[in-house]
Amino acid sequence: MKEIFDRIVPAPSLTEVTANRIRDAITTGDLPLGHKLSEQRLADMLGVSRSPVHDALAILQSEGLVNISPKRGSYVFTPDLKEVDNICEHRALLETGSVRRAIARNKDKLVAGLQSCVDEMEEALRVNSSTDYTRGDLRFHETIVRASCNRSIASAYKRTISPLIALRTHLFTIMNANIERSLDEHVELLDACKRGDADLAAALLEDHIGHLIEAYRQELSSQTGFEDAITASR
Amino acid sequence: MKEIFDRIVPAPSLTEVTANRIRDAITTGDLPLGHKLSEQRLADMLGVSRSPVHDALAILQSEGLVNISPKRGSYVFTPDLKEVDNICEHRALLETGSVRRAIARNKDKLVAGLQSCVDEMEEALRVNSSTDYTRGDLRFHETIVRASCNRSIASAYKRTISPLIALRTHLFTIMNANIERSLDEHVELLDACKRGDADLAAALLEDHIGHLIEAYRQELSSQTGFEDAITASR
């Protein structure tokens, strides 16, 4: 049968909406790293009962954004360098796997999507807006993963990278120090996708994410309070 | 400082224990595919209140094992061939990425672990126990992922493959028809790991998981009630 309808997407549940709002507050930095989270206070601020807040915190715990301790309460996560390394490596695996599949299955849509992200990032650099740059950058990587046409990979990716997005906001100097190199790397990656060179695209992505790991490592080690995490991870 | 203590692992929460019990019941087939799940009934059977059951079902929904519809209630998932394809592809990505890292970082432990699984599978074949064979097989693949030494990948893997384990139980004829070939493939893979040939190991894993996808496809299409899902995915 000809497809005359787009499928109706069910509305998200109250728990999902609550989780999305708290996740946004963590990734944008409104709720800082290590901040104590009171279920009652969050419920009051969001205008909901405690039950969806409770469920939302459990979801965010599974994403690594929230630590829940039965005795001490719930807190926004604090970065542990070993964990950040692991998440970056996991991210690289999902993105390199996705770019290979996207080039094989969906090249034109992939290239068009990445081009629009690069345009957004170039404009952001021109007007010196690191917020807009970050948005374009995140959209660039999401475009790669979505173009793999694999919902299972895409949903795991979304659950995996939230702590990296939050760290990026928190360690804001990373972006400003490396923004020119970052843009060059994205443009190179787009060119590899245009030429349909999946091996090169995957290798460039590995390098790009490797540079981010270095930046996190340097930035975390230069901040007070993270020495223990860094020592423990070596 | 010298490591004189193993870290104390906190006890799982009541919600986690509840989720584990319901997950086991689905993957072993005690709760069949498509079965309606009543929170109150599950709470009564498990001897807990409804709250941990409610939270556990939300966790199992995120793993694809349970479908929750606000209007109609909660059900054990029913297989959709497109979704099964996606999960198998995702699984292949995580396992091939893991085997490369495991060979590079952790080869001796990887080989010892895989050898003990192959021994278990050979013994199971000798005494004709498909349950024992399945246990060895699952442990073989978990060993690969754990030997990658990446907790983020390992926990995503665990969340990803539950529906495949449940399907394997449900479509029991898959195992019995292909058990000899399956054992050969595991032995070949172990040999590639022993030789430290990461490219070969990754290629063998891709083929092995590819054979499973074919088996699911054939088996699902031979069963009544799944025709719609199969037509929709083509």
Side-chain angles (χ1 to χ4, degrees), chain A residues 54-55 62 82-83 86-87 89-90 93-94 97 101 105 148-153 156 159-160 206, chain B residues 54-55 62 82-83 86-87 89-90 93-94 97 101 105 148-153 156 159-160 206:
Chain A
H54 178 82
D55 293 350
S62 79
K82 177 75 190 155
E83 199 58 27
N86 280 342
I87 297 171
E89 184 177 271
H90 184 189
L93 182 61
L94 297 178
R101 283 160 181 80
R105 291 175 185 165
S148 75
C149 301
N150 184 314
R151 280 207 304 181
S152 177
I153 293 175
R159 281 198 302 266
T160 302
E206 286 274 8
Chain B
H54 178 82
D55 294 350
S62 79
K82 176 76 190 154
E83 198 60 24
N86 280 343
I87 297 172
E89 184 177 272
H90 185 189
L93 182 61
L94 296 178
R101 283 159 182 80
R105 290 173 187 168
S148 75
C149 301
N150 184 314
R151 279 208 304 183
S152 177
I153 293 175
R159 281 198 302 266
T160 302
E206 287 274 9

mmCIF file of all heavy atoms in Angstrom, chain A residues 54-55 62 82-83 86-87 89-90 93-94 97 101 105 148-153 156 159-160 206, chain B residues 54-55 62 82-83 86-87 89-90 93-94 97 101 105 148-153 156 159-160 206:
data_model
loop_
_atom_site.group_PDB
_atom_site.id
_atom_site.type_symbol
_atom_site.label_atom_id
_atom_site.label_comp_id
_atom_site.label_asym_id
_atom_site.label_seq_id
_atom_site.Cartn_x
_atom_site.Cartn_y
_atom_site.Cartn_z
ATOM 1 N N HIS A 54 10.727 11.165 40.649
ATOM 2 C CA HIS A 54 11.424 9.971 41.125
ATOM 3 C C HIS A 54 11.797 9.062 39.943
ATOM 4 O O HIS A 54 12.944 8.618 39.805
ATOM 5 C CB HIS A 54 10.517 9.233 42.122
ATOM 6 C CG HIS A 54 11.094 7.971 42.656
ATOM 7 N ND1 HIS A 54 11.996 7.951 43.696
ATOM 8 C CD2 HIS A 54 10.925 6.682 42.266
ATOM 9 C CE1 HIS A 54 12.347 6.695 43.935
ATOM 10 N NE2 HIS A 54 11.717 5.905 43.075
ATOM 11 N N ASP A 55 10.811 8.807 39.073
ATOM 12 C CA ASP A 55 11.058 7.944 37.914
ATOM 13 C C ASP A 55 12.076 8.581 36.959
ATOM 14 O O ASP A 55 12.920 7.896 36.380
ATOM 15 C CB ASP A 55 9.753 7.678 37.146
ATOM 16 C CG ASP A 55 8.771 6.848 37.967
ATOM 17 O OD1 ASP A 55 9.167 6.334 39.033
ATOM 18 O OD2 ASP A 55 7.604 6.727 37.546
ATOM 19 N N SER A 62 20.492 5.986 34.869
ATOM 20 C CA SER A 62 20.942 4.978 33.893
ATOM 21 C C SER A 62 21.740 5.633 32.763
ATOM 22 O O SER A 62 22.501 4.974 32.072
ATOM 23 C CB SER A 62 19.752 4.201 33.333
ATOM 24 O OG SER A 62 19.090 4.959 32.340
ATOM 25 N N LYS A 82 38.285 8.304 34.161
ATOM 26 C CA LYS A 82 38.221 6.961 33.578
ATOM 27 C C LYS A 82 36.870 6.753 32.890
ATOM 28 O O LYS A 82 36.791 6.207 31.776
ATOM 29 C CB LYS A 82 38.420 5.925 34.693
ATOM 30 C CG LYS A 82 38.311 4.485 34.269
ATOM 31 C CD LYS A 82 39.546 4.045 33.513
ATOM 32 C CE LYS A 82 39.338 2.672 32.887
ATOM 33 N NZ LYS A 82 40.205 2.469 31.730
ATOM 34 N N GLU A 83 35.815 7.207 33.573
ATOM 35 C CA GLU A 83 34.460 7.080 33.035
ATOM 36 C C GLU A 83 34.301 7.934 31.765
ATOM 37 O O GLU A 83 33.688 7.498 30.793
ATOM 38 C CB GLU A 83 33.471 7.528 34.122
ATOM 39 C CG GLU A 83 32.047 7.071 33.958
ATOM 40 C CD GLU A 83 31.869 5.559 33.893
ATOM 41 O OE1 GLU A 83 32.711 4.831 34.452
ATOM 42 O OE2 GLU A 83 30.903 5.122 33.246
ATOM 43 N N ASN A 86 35.908 6.152 28.923
ATOM 44 C CA ASN A 86 35.053 5.047 28.477
ATOM 45 C C ASN A 86 33.896 5.537 27.615
ATOM 46 O O ASN A 86 33.579 4.937 26.589
ATOM 47 C CB ASN A 86 34.473 4.300 29.688
ATOM 48 C CG ASN A 86 35.467 3.325 30.294
ATOM 49 O OD1 ASN A 86 36.446 2.956 29.663
ATOM 50 N ND2 ASN A 86 35.202 2.914 31.516
ATOM 51 N N ILE A 87 33.270 6.627 28.063
ATOM 52 C CA ILE A 87 32.119 7.134 27.309
ATOM 53 C C ILE A 87 32.572 7.647 25.939
ATOM 54 O O ILE A 87 31.916 7.413 24.926
ATOM 55 C CB ILE A 87 31.381 8.240 28.102
ATOM 56 C CG1 ILE A 87 30.816 7.683 29.405
ATOM 57 C CG2 ILE A 87 30.247 8.829 27.271
ATOM 58 C CD1 ILE A 87 30.263 8.747 30.343
ATOM 59 N N GLU A 89 35.126 6.611 24.195
ATOM 60 C CA GLU A 89 35.454 5.455 23.357
ATOM 61 C C GLU A 89 34.168 4.791 22.832
ATOM 62 O O GLU A 89 34.088 4.398 21.664
ATOM 63 C CB GLU A 89 36.255 4.444 24.182
ATOM 64 C CG GLU A 89 36.727 3.262 23.377
ATOM 65 C CD GLU A 89 37.572 2.309 24.204
ATOM 66 O OE1 GLU A 89 38.790 2.508 24.262
ATOM 67 O OE2 GLU A 89 37.004 1.365 24.792
ATOM 68 N N HIS A 90 33.182 4.697 23.706
ATOM 69 C CA HIS A 90 31.890 4.134 23.319
ATOM 70 C C HIS A 90 31.244 5.005 22.234
ATOM 71 O O HIS A 90 30.753 4.511 21.225
ATOM 72 C CB HIS A 90 31.003 4.064 24.576
ATOM 73 C CG HIS A 90 29.672 3.411 24.370
ATOM 74 N ND1 HIS A 90 28.708 3.423 25.330
ATOM 75 C CD2 HIS A 90 29.143 2.744 23.321
ATOM 76 C CE1 HIS A 90 27.645 2.778 24.889
ATOM 77 N NE2 HIS A 90 27.872 2.366 23.670
ATOM 78 N N LEU A 93 32.874 4.449 18.913
ATOM 79 C CA LEU A 93 32.435 3.182 18.307
ATOM 80 C C LEU A 93 31.085 3.357 17.610
ATOM 81 O O LEU A 93 30.900 2.937 16.454
ATOM 82 C CB LEU A 93 32.356 2.109 19.403
ATOM 83 C CG LEU A 93 31.956 0.707 18.985
ATOM 84 C CD1 LEU A 93 32.957 0.130 17.998
ATOM 85 C CD2 LEU A 93 31.848 -0.196 20.213
ATOM 86 N N LEU A 94 30.137 4.001 18.305
ATOM 87 C CA LEU A 94 28.805 4.189 17.717
ATOM 88 C C LEU A 94 28.861 5.121 16.502
ATOM 89 O O LEU A 94 28.202 4.878 15.486
ATOM 90 C CB LEU A 94 27.827 4.749 18.762
ATOM 91 C CG LEU A 94 27.539 3.854 19.973
ATOM 92 C CD1 LEU A 94 26.600 4.569 20.953
ATOM 93 C CD2 LEU A 94 26.934 2.519 19.569
ATOM 94 N N GLY A 97 30.771 3.383 13.458
ATOM 95 C CA GLY A 97 29.870 2.371 12.895
ATOM 96 C C GLY A 97 28.749 3.034 12.110
ATOM 97 O O GLY A 97 28.369 2.573 11.026
ATOM 98 N N ARG A 101 27.711 2.965 7.865
ATOM 99 C CA ARG A 101 26.394 2.553 7.400
ATOM 100 C C ARG A 101 25.691 3.699 6.673
ATOM 101 O O ARG A 101 25.009 3.485 5.664
ATOM 102 C CB ARG A 101 25.557 2.086 8.592
ATOM 103 C CG ARG A 101 25.967 0.686 9.040
ATOM 104 C CD ARG A 101 25.554 0.353 10.448
ATOM 105 N NE ARG A 101 26.001 -0.970 10.815
ATOM 106 C CZ ARG A 101 27.263 -1.256 11.201
ATOM 107 N NH1 ARG A 101 28.186 -0.297 11.270
ATOM 108 N NH2 ARG A 101 27.608 -2.497 11.499
ATOM 109 N N ARG A 105 24.213 3.607 2.892
ATOM 110 C CA ARG A 105 22.763 3.506 2.728
ATOM 111 C C ARG A 105 22.068 4.795 2.366
ATOM 112 O O ARG A 105 20.947 4.781 1.881
ATOM 113 C CB ARG A 105 22.145 3.074 4.071
ATOM 114 C CG ARG A 105 22.469 1.685 4.446
ATOM 115 C CD ARG A 105 21.929 1.395 5.838
ATOM 116 N NE ARG A 105 22.372 0.079 6.224
ATOM 117 C CZ ARG A 105 22.326 -0.387 7.461
ATOM 118 N NH1 ARG A 105 21.838 0.379 8.423
ATOM 119 N NH2 ARG A 105 22.765 -1.598 7.738
ATOM 120 N N SER A 148 22.423 6.514 10.038
ATOM 121 C CA SER A 148 22.695 5.073 10.009
ATOM 122 C C SER A 148 21.393 4.279 9.845
ATOM 123 O O SER A 148 21.411 3.098 9.553
ATOM 124 C CB SER A 148 23.388 4.628 11.300
ATOM 125 O OG SER A 148 22.451 4.586 12.376
ATOM 126 N N CYS A 149 20.244 4.955 10.044
ATOM 127 C CA CYS A 149 18.923 4.303 9.937
ATOM 128 C C CYS A 149 18.791 3.125 10.885
ATOM 129 O O CYS A 149 18.181 2.109 10.526
ATOM 130 C CB CYS A 149 18.646 3.823 8.514
ATOM 131 S SG CYS A 149 18.680 5.109 7.319
ATOM 132 N N ASN A 150 19.378 3.205 12.062
ATOM 133 C CA ASN A 150 19.244 2.115 13.036
ATOM 134 C C ASN A 150 18.757 2.722 14.357
ATOM 135 O O ASN A 150 19.520 3.397 15.061
ATOM 136 C CB ASN A 150 20.583 1.398 13.200
ATOM 137 C CG ASN A 150 20.462 0.195 14.134
ATOM 138 O OD1 ASN A 150 19.865 0.291 15.200
ATOM 139 N ND2 ASN A 150 21.031 -0.922 13.732
ATOM 140 N N ARG A 151 17.468 2.474 14.678
ATOM 141 C CA ARG A 151 16.876 3.099 15.866
ATOM 142 C C ARG A 151 17.517 2.623 17.157
ATOM 143 O O ARG A 151 17.581 3.357 18.135
ATOM 144 C CB ARG A 151 15.371 2.796 15.930
ATOM 145 C CG ARG A 151 14.554 3.685 15.037
ATOM 146 C CD ARG A 151 13.158 3.820 15.581
ATOM 147 N NE ARG A 151 12.557 2.496 15.752
ATOM 148 C CZ ARG A 151 11.329 2.306 16.197
ATOM 149 N NH1 ARG A 151 10.559 3.317 16.500
ATOM 150 N NH2 ARG A 151 10.854 1.081 16.329
ATOM 151 N N SER A 152 17.970 1.368 17.159
ATOM 152 C CA SER A 152 18.574 0.824 18.371
ATOM 153 C C SER A 152 19.888 1.558 18.671
ATOM 154 O O SER A 152 20.155 1.949 19.815
ATOM 155 C CB SER A 152 18.799 -0.684 18.186
ATOM 156 O OG SER A 152 19.432 -1.249 19.300
ATOM 157 N N ILE A 153 20.709 1.774 17.632
ATOM 158 C CA ILE A 153 21.965 2.505 17.815
ATOM 159 C C ILE A 153 21.683 3.960 18.183
ATOM 160 O O ILE A 153 22.293 4.514 19.099
ATOM 161 C CB ILE A 153 22.839 2.427 16.537
ATOM 162 C CG1 ILE A 153 23.314 0.980 16.313
ATOM 163 C CG2 ILE A 153 24.022 3.392 16.615
ATOM 164 C CD1 ILE A 153 24.092 0.764 15.019
ATOM 165 N N ALA A 156 20.595 4.295 21.832
ATOM 166 C CA ALA A 156 21.722 4.065 22.748
ATOM 167 C C ALA A 156 22.668 5.268 22.732
ATOM 168 O O ALA A 156 23.194 5.682 23.768
ATOM 169 C CB ALA A 156 22.487 2.803 22.351
ATOM 170 N N ARG A 159 21.351 8.050 24.880
ATOM 171 C CA ARG A 159 21.521 7.762 26.305
ATOM 172 C C ARG A 159 22.982 7.862 26.738
ATOM 173 O O ARG A 159 23.272 8.088 27.898
ATOM 174 C CB ARG A 159 21.032 6.335 26.622
ATOM 175 C CG ARG A 159 19.535 6.204 26.742
ATOM 176 C CD ARG A 159 19.168 4.913 27.470
ATOM 177 N NE ARG A 159 19.688 3.750 26.792
ATOM 178 C CZ ARG A 159 19.011 3.023 25.904
ATOM 179 N NH1 ARG A 159 17.780 3.338 25.603
ATOM 180 N NH2 ARG A 159 19.556 1.980 25.325
ATOM 181 N N THR A 160 23.914 7.666 25.790
ATOM 182 C CA THR A 160 25.331 7.593 26.148
ATOM 183 C C THR A 160 25.986 8.958 26.290
ATOM 184 O O THR A 160 26.830 9.163 27.158
ATOM 185 C CB THR A 160 26.089 6.771 25.071
ATOM 186 O OG1 THR A 160 25.500 5.480 25.007
ATOM 187 C CG2 THR A 160 27.570 6.661 25.380
ATOM 188 N N GLU A 206 37.507 9.082 14.547
ATOM 189 C CA GLU A 206 38.327 8.575 15.661
ATOM 190 C C GLU A 206 39.276 9.666 16.151
ATOM 191 O O GLU A 206 39.409 9.907 17.349
ATOM 192 C CB GLU A 206 39.171 7.367 15.223
ATOM 193 C CG GLU A 206 38.432 6.072 15.024
ATOM 194 C CD GLU A 206 38.256 5.249 16.309
ATOM 195 O OE1 GLU A 206 38.571 5.750 17.407
ATOM 196 O OE2 GLU A 206 37.764 4.110 16.190
ATOM 197 N N HIS B 54 6.375 -0.856 39.137
ATOM 198 C CA HIS B 54 6.139 0.227 38.176
ATOM 199 C C HIS B 54 7.475 0.754 37.625
ATOM 200 O O HIS B 54 7.653 0.896 36.409
ATOM 201 C CB HIS B 54 5.372 1.347 38.894
ATOM 202 C CG HIS B 54 5.113 2.540 38.044
ATOM 203 N ND1 HIS B 54 4.064 2.605 37.153
ATOM 204 C CD2 HIS B 54 5.774 3.718 37.928
ATOM 205 C CE1 HIS B 54 4.093 3.770 36.531
ATOM 206 N NE2 HIS B 54 5.119 4.460 36.987
ATOM 207 N N ASP B 55 8.427 1.008 38.537
ATOM 208 C CA ASP B 55 9.746 1.511 38.107
ATOM 209 C C ASP B 55 10.478 0.470 37.259
ATOM 210 O O ASP B 55 11.154 0.805 36.282
ATOM 211 C CB ASP B 55 10.607 1.864 39.326
ATOM 212 C CG ASP B 55 10.032 3.047 40.099
ATOM 213 O OD1 ASP B 55 9.097 3.692 39.591
ATOM 214 O OD2 ASP B 55 10.524 3.324 41.214
ATOM 215 N N SER B 62 12.702 0.621 28.476
ATOM 216 C CA SER B 62 13.858 1.256 27.823
ATOM 217 C C SER B 62 14.776 0.204 27.191
ATOM 218 O O SER B 62 15.558 0.511 26.302
ATOM 219 C CB SER B 62 14.632 2.130 28.813
ATOM 220 O OG SER B 62 15.448 1.324 29.637
ATOM 221 N N LYS B 82 12.061 -5.715 11.642
ATOM 222 C CA LYS B 82 12.940 -4.562 11.397
ATOM 223 C C LYS B 82 13.722 -4.223 12.663
ATOM 224 O O LYS B 82 14.921 -3.932 12.631
ATOM 225 C CB LYS B 82 12.074 -3.370 10.957
ATOM 226 C CG LYS B 82 12.818 -2.068 10.750
ATOM 227 C CD LYS B 82 13.584 -2.092 9.443
ATOM 228 C CE LYS B 82 14.522 -0.893 9.346
ATOM 229 N NZ LYS B 82 15.658 -1.161 8.469
ATOM 230 N N GLU B 83 12.993 -4.255 13.800
ATOM 231 C CA GLU B 83 13.606 -3.953 15.088
ATOM 232 C C GLU B 83 14.657 -5.016 15.434
ATOM 233 O O GLU B 83 15.742 -4.692 15.934
ATOM 234 C CB GLU B 83 12.504 -3.912 16.160
ATOM 235 C CG GLU B 83 12.856 -3.217 17.448
ATOM 236 C CD GLU B 83 13.243 -1.758 17.287
ATOM 237 O OE1 GLU B 83 12.843 -1.121 16.295
ATOM 238 O OE2 GLU B 83 14.006 -1.265 18.154
ATOM 239 N N ASN B 86 17.751 -4.318 13.503
ATOM 240 C CA ASN B 86 18.476 -3.176 14.085
ATOM 241 C C ASN B 86 19.257 -3.587 15.329
ATOM 242 O O ASN B 86 20.400 -3.172 15.512
ATOM 243 C CB ASN B 86 17.486 -2.070 14.473
ATOM 244 C CG ASN B 86 17.061 -1.231 13.284
ATOM 245 O OD1 ASN B 86 17.715 -1.247 12.235
ATOM 246 N ND2 ASN B 86 15.977 -0.500 13.430
ATOM 247 N N ILE B 87 18.609 -4.385 16.186
ATOM 248 C CA ILE B 87 19.279 -4.780 17.429
ATOM 249 C C ILE B 87 20.484 -5.673 17.113
ATOM 250 O O ILE B 87 21.554 -5.528 17.708
ATOM 251 C CB ILE B 87 18.293 -5.493 18.388
ATOM 252 C CG1 ILE B 87 17.173 -4.533 18.807
ATOM 253 C CG2 ILE B 87 19.019 -5.989 19.629
ATOM 254 C CD1 ILE B 87 16.052 -5.204 19.585
ATOM 255 N N GLU B 89 22.290 -5.648 14.394
ATOM 256 C CA GLU B 89 23.346 -4.805 13.823
ATOM 257 C C GLU B 89 24.063 -4.018 14.927
ATOM 258 O O GLU B 89 25.288 -3.888 14.928
ATOM 259 C CB GLU B 89 22.736 -3.848 12.803
ATOM 260 C CG GLU B 89 23.768 -3.013 12.085
ATOM 261 C CD GLU B 89 23.151 -2.119 11.033
ATOM 262 O OE1 GLU B 89 23.002 -2.579 9.892
ATOM 263 O OE2 GLU B 89 22.800 -0.964 11.354
ATOM 264 N N HIS B 90 23.282 -3.511 15.866
ATOM 265 C CA HIS B 90 23.841 -2.783 17.004
ATOM 266 C C HIS B 90 24.734 -3.709 17.830
ATOM 267 O O HIS B 90 25.859 -3.353 18.211
ATOM 268 C CB HIS B 90 22.684 -2.234 17.841
ATOM 269 C CG HIS B 90 23.094 -1.366 18.986
ATOM 270 N ND1 HIS B 90 22.205 -0.945 19.924
ATOM 271 C CD2 HIS B 90 24.288 -0.849 19.368
ATOM 272 C CE1 HIS B 90 22.834 -0.207 20.824
ATOM 273 N NE2 HIS B 90 24.097 -0.136 20.523
ATOM 274 N N LEU B 93 28.021 -4.295 16.139
ATOM 275 C CA LEU B 93 28.913 -3.144 16.284
ATOM 276 C C LEU B 93 29.618 -3.161 17.645
ATOM 277 O O LEU B 93 30.836 -2.987 17.748
ATOM 278 C CB LEU B 93 28.091 -1.859 16.120
ATOM 279 C CG LEU B 93 28.829 -0.532 16.188
ATOM 280 C CD1 LEU B 93 29.874 -0.439 15.081
ATOM 281 C CD2 LEU B 93 27.841 0.633 16.069
ATOM 282 N N LEU B 94 28.831 -3.410 18.713
ATOM 283 C CA LEU B 94 29.418 -3.418 20.060
ATOM 284 C C LEU B 94 30.393 -4.589 20.223
ATOM 285 O O LEU B 94 31.463 -4.446 20.822
ATOM 286 C CB LEU B 94 28.319 -3.497 21.127
ATOM 287 C CG LEU B 94 27.344 -2.314 21.200
ATOM 288 C CD1 LEU B 94 26.285 -2.563 22.264
ATOM 289 C CD2 LEU B 94 28.075 -1.006 21.502
ATOM 290 N N GLY B 97 33.659 -4.071 17.992
ATOM 291 C CA GLY B 97 34.475 -3.036 18.647
ATOM 292 C C GLY B 97 35.146 -3.580 19.897
ATOM 293 O O GLY B 97 36.312 -3.297 20.179
ATOM 294 N N ARG B 101 39.334 -4.257 20.920
ATOM 295 C CA ARG B 101 39.930 -3.685 22.128
ATOM 296 C C ARG B 101 40.415 -4.772 23.077
ATOM 297 O O ARG B 101 41.469 -4.658 23.692
ATOM 298 C CB ARG B 101 38.913 -2.773 22.820
ATOM 299 C CG ARG B 101 38.777 -1.440 22.121
ATOM 300 C CD ARG B 101 37.488 -0.719 22.430
ATOM 301 N NE ARG B 101 37.414 0.520 21.681
ATOM 302 C CZ ARG B 101 37.059 0.601 20.393
ATOM 303 N NH1 ARG B 101 36.725 -0.496 19.714
ATOM 304 N NH2 ARG B 101 37.028 1.768 19.768
ATOM 305 N N ARG B 105 44.188 -5.196 24.524
ATOM 306 C CA ARG B 105 44.428 -4.818 25.921
ATOM 307 C C ARG B 105 44.527 -5.983 26.880
ATOM 308 O O ARG B 105 45.039 -5.836 27.985
ATOM 309 C CB ARG B 105 43.246 -3.973 26.422
ATOM 310 C CG ARG B 105 43.191 -2.636 25.813
ATOM 311 C CD ARG B 105 41.902 -1.941 26.246
ATOM 312 N NE ARG B 105 41.807 -0.705 25.510
ATOM 313 C CZ ARG B 105 40.723 0.053 25.460
ATOM 314 N NH1 ARG B 105 39.644 -0.317 26.123
ATOM 315 N NH2 ARG B 105 40.729 1.154 24.773
ATOM 316 N N SER B 148 36.645 -5.959 26.875
ATOM 317 C CA SER B 148 36.996 -4.659 26.283
ATOM 318 C C SER B 148 37.389 -3.662 27.364
ATOM 319 O O SER B 148 37.938 -2.604 27.071
ATOM 320 C CB SER B 148 35.805 -4.099 25.496
ATOM 321 O OG SER B 148 34.806 -3.603 26.387
ATOM 322 N N CYS B 149 37.104 -3.991 28.638
ATOM 323 C CA CYS B 149 37.415 -3.100 29.767
ATOM 324 C C CYS B 149 36.761 -1.731 29.623
ATOM 325 O O CYS B 149 37.364 -0.717 29.984
ATOM 326 C CB CYS B 149 38.920 -2.910 29.936
ATOM 327 S SG CYS B 149 39.806 -4.414 30.204
ATOM 328 N N ASN B 150 35.562 -1.682 29.050
ATOM 329 C CA ASN B 150 34.863 -0.404 28.940
ATOM 330 C C ASN B 150 33.463 -0.574 29.526
ATOM 331 O O ASN B 150 32.595 -1.220 28.933
ATOM 332 C CB ASN B 150 34.801 0.029 27.464
ATOM 333 C CG ASN B 150 34.159 1.399 27.294
ATOM 334 O OD1 ASN B 150 33.126 1.681 27.889
ATOM 335 N ND2 ASN B 150 34.785 2.251 26.509
ATOM 336 N N ARG B 151 33.263 0.030 30.718
ATOM 337 C CA ARG B 151 31.999 -0.162 31.430
ATOM 338 C C ARG B 151 30.811 0.443 30.689
ATOM 339 O O ARG B 151 29.693 -0.049 30.788
ATOM 340 C CB ARG B 151 32.074 0.482 32.822
ATOM 341 C CG ARG B 151 32.784 -0.385 33.839
ATOM 342 C CD ARG B 151 32.262 -0.100 35.218
ATOM 343 N NE ARG B 151 32.405 1.337 35.508
ATOM 344 C CZ ARG B 151 32.089 1.885 36.667
ATOM 345 N NH1 ARG B 151 31.647 1.130 37.650
ATOM 346 N NH2 ARG B 151 32.233 3.182 36.867
ATOM 347 N N SER B 152 31.069 1.536 29.972
ATOM 348 C CA SER B 152 29.985 2.196 29.250
ATOM 349 C C SER B 152 29.470 1.279 28.135
ATOM 350 O O SER B 152 28.259 1.104 27.957
ATOM 351 C CB SER B 152 30.490 3.526 28.688
ATOM 352 O OG SER B 152 29.505 4.171 27.935
ATOM 353 N N ILE B 153 30.392 0.651 27.390
ATOM 354 C CA ILE B 153 30.003 -0.284 26.326
ATOM 355 C C ILE B 153 29.329 -1.517 26.931
ATOM 356 O O ILE B 153 28.290 -1.977 26.454
ATOM 357 C CB ILE B 153 31.229 -0.691 25.479
ATOM 358 C CG1 ILE B 153 31.742 0.523 24.686
ATOM 359 C CG2 ILE B 153 30.896 -1.850 24.534
ATOM 360 C CD1 ILE B 153 33.020 0.273 23.893
ATOM 361 N N ALA B 156 25.751 -0.770 28.046
ATOM 362 C CA ALA B 156 24.862 -0.592 26.884
ATOM 363 C C ALA B 156 24.567 -1.943 26.233
ATOM 364 O O ALA B 156 23.447 -2.212 25.802
ATOM 365 C CB ALA B 156 25.495 0.348 25.860
ATOM 366 N N ARG B 159 21.924 -3.799 28.130
ATOM 367 C CA ARG B 159 20.590 -3.237 27.890
ATOM 368 C C ARG B 159 20.075 -3.576 26.493
ATOM 369 O O ARG B 159 18.881 -3.593 26.254
ATOM 370 C CB ARG B 159 20.617 -1.704 28.042
ATOM 371 C CG ARG B 159 20.589 -1.227 29.483
ATOM 372 C CD ARG B 159 20.187 0.238 29.543
ATOM 373 N NE ARG B 159 21.087 1.076 28.777
ATOM 374 C CZ ARG B 159 22.141 1.701 29.299
ATOM 375 N NH1 ARG B 159 22.422 1.593 30.567
ATOM 376 N NH2 ARG B 159 22.903 2.452 28.541
ATOM 377 N N THR B 160 21.007 -3.805 25.538
ATOM 378 C CA THR B 160 20.613 -3.972 24.137
ATOM 379 C C THR B 160 20.139 -5.382 23.810
ATOM 380 O O THR B 160 19.205 -5.563 23.035
ATOM 381 C CB THR B 160 21.807 -3.606 23.223
ATOM 382 O OG1 THR B 160 22.181 -2.259 23.507
ATOM 383 C CG2 THR B 160 21.450 -3.747 21.755
ATOM 384 N N GLU B 206 31.037 -10.719 12.696
ATOM 385 C CA GLU B 206 30.022 -10.161 11.775
ATOM 386 C C GLU B 206 29.263 -11.300 11.086
ATOM 387 O O GLU B 206 28.035 -11.287 11.019
ATOM 388 C CB GLU B 206 30.683 -9.302 10.680
ATOM 389 C CG GLU B 206 31.218 -7.964 11.127
ATOM 390 C CD GLU B 206 30.164 -6.840 11.106
ATOM 391 O OE1 GLU B 206 28.966 -7.130 10.902
ATOM 392 O OE2 GLU B 206 30.558 -5.682 11.319
#
